[in-house]
Amino acid sequence: TPIDKCKEINTGLLSNPDREGGYANDIFENLVYRYEEPNGMTRWDSPLFTVPYDDSAPPYETIWTALIGTEGELKKVKPNLATVMKPVAESDYLYELDKTTQEIVNAVIAWQKDHIGELGGQVTFGDKAVELPASPVTLPQLQRIRRQFISLNRQHNLAKPRIHGSFIEYLSTNFG
């Protein structure tokens, strides 16, 4: 509906004491200023039905079917991040994340103490290994990398067995 026609309708509603509705002029101007033309290509404006203000018979059935579905078949809503529930986090996830990363940091420090003077090296954890750089890695460097890893994974719930391998890979990436 054109803005002039909307203003005419609003003024008519305000001037008629028998009818409710209408916006105060300053609110109406603010609404017009903030109005954004719908775009059928965007998800939140879809499906978009353009119905002229003077249309005497809008496509009610088509709109109803698009929004609700037919009587025998309801419309299926595709799940997205807003509608899918996050899995419940394990209650001790942060504890495990902290404990596992601290154990690996302690193992790297212990390995460096046992191999003083060696340039680089490899600390093995089962089937995974951390490749250390040529210069010794200090405890503050390891703690900084550990804090980064924890802050990155605080919101993402890794499976407990994956924490170990992920942190080893993260260390290797930061050393490399």
Side-chain angles (χ1 to χ4, degrees), residues 25-72:
N25 287 330
D26 57 335
I27 293 174
F28 180 79
E29 293 299 325
N30 199 355
L31 288 170
V32 168
Y33 175 73
R34 293 172 184 252
Y35 175 73
E36 184 178 322
E37 188 77 29
N39 180 357
M41 300 301 288
T42 58
R43 183 180 74 228
W44 47 87
D45 289 340
S46 180
L48 177 63
F49 293 95
T50 304
V51 181
Y53 71 94
D54 58 353
D55 189 352
S56 60
Y60 294 120
E61 281 299 314
T62 309
I63 295 171
W64 182 263
T65 303
L67 295 176
I68 307 300
T70 59
E71 213 170 293

Side-chain angles (χ1 to χ4, degrees), residues 22-133:
Y23 294 101
N25 287 330
D26 57 335
I27 293 174
F28 180 79
E29 293 299 325
N30 199 355
L31 288 170
V32 168
Y33 175 73
R34 293 172 184 252
Y35 175 73
E36 184 178 322
E37 188 77 29
N39 180 357
M41 300 301 288
T42 58
R43 183 180 74 228
W44 47 87
D45 289 340
S46 180
L48 177 63
F49 293 95
T50 304
V51 181
Y53 71 94
D54 58 353
D55 189 352
S56 60
Y60 294 120
E61 281 299 314
T62 309
I63 295 171
W64 182 263
T65 303
L67 295 176
I68 307 300
T70 59
E71 213 170 293
E73 185 179 314
L74 291 176
K75 180 174 166 85
K76 291 183 175 42
V77 178
K78 294 178 188 168
N80 60 40
L81 287 177
T83 59
V84 174
M85 290 181 50
K86 284 179 75 176
V88 178
E90 296 180 34
S91 60
D92 63 344
Y93 174 71
L94 288 177
Y95 170 76
E96 286 295 326
L97 184 64
D98 186 61
K99 184 181 107 187
T100 304
T101 55
Q102 187 61 51
E103 287 172 356
I104 294 171
V105 166
N106 290 342
V108 170
I109 293 295
W111 188 91
Q112 287 187 141
K113 283 183 183 175
D114 293 342
H115 299 87
I116 294 175
E118 289 186 25
L119 299 177
Q122 191 175 35
V123 184
T124 307
F125 299 94
D127 60 337
K128 300 228 179 217
V130 175
E131 194 70 39
L132 297 176

Side-chain angles (χ1 to χ4, degrees), residues 18-19 34 38 42 44 96 101 124 149-150 152 164 172-173:
D18 296 335
R19 296 190 66 185
R34 293 172 184 252
T42 58
W44 47 87
E96 286 295 326
T101 55
T124 307
F149 181 80
I150 289 174
L152 286 171
H164 194 266
S172 296
T173 303

Side-chain angles (χ1 to χ4, degrees), residues 5-25:
K5 183 64 177 173
C6 292
K7 193 170 200 160
E8 178 186 320
I9 293 170
N10 188 57
T11 305
L13 288 171
L14 290 175
S15 64
N16 187 347
D18 296 335
R19 296 190 66 185
E20 283 187 37
Y23 294 101
N25 287 330

Side-chain angles (χ1 to χ4, degrees), residues 86 93 97 150-159 163:
K86 284 179 75 176
Y93 174 71
L97 184 64
I150 289 174
S151 66
L152 286 171
N153 290 288
R154 178 170 277 143
Q155 300 301 321
H156 309 298
N157 293 325
L158 295 172
I163 295 172

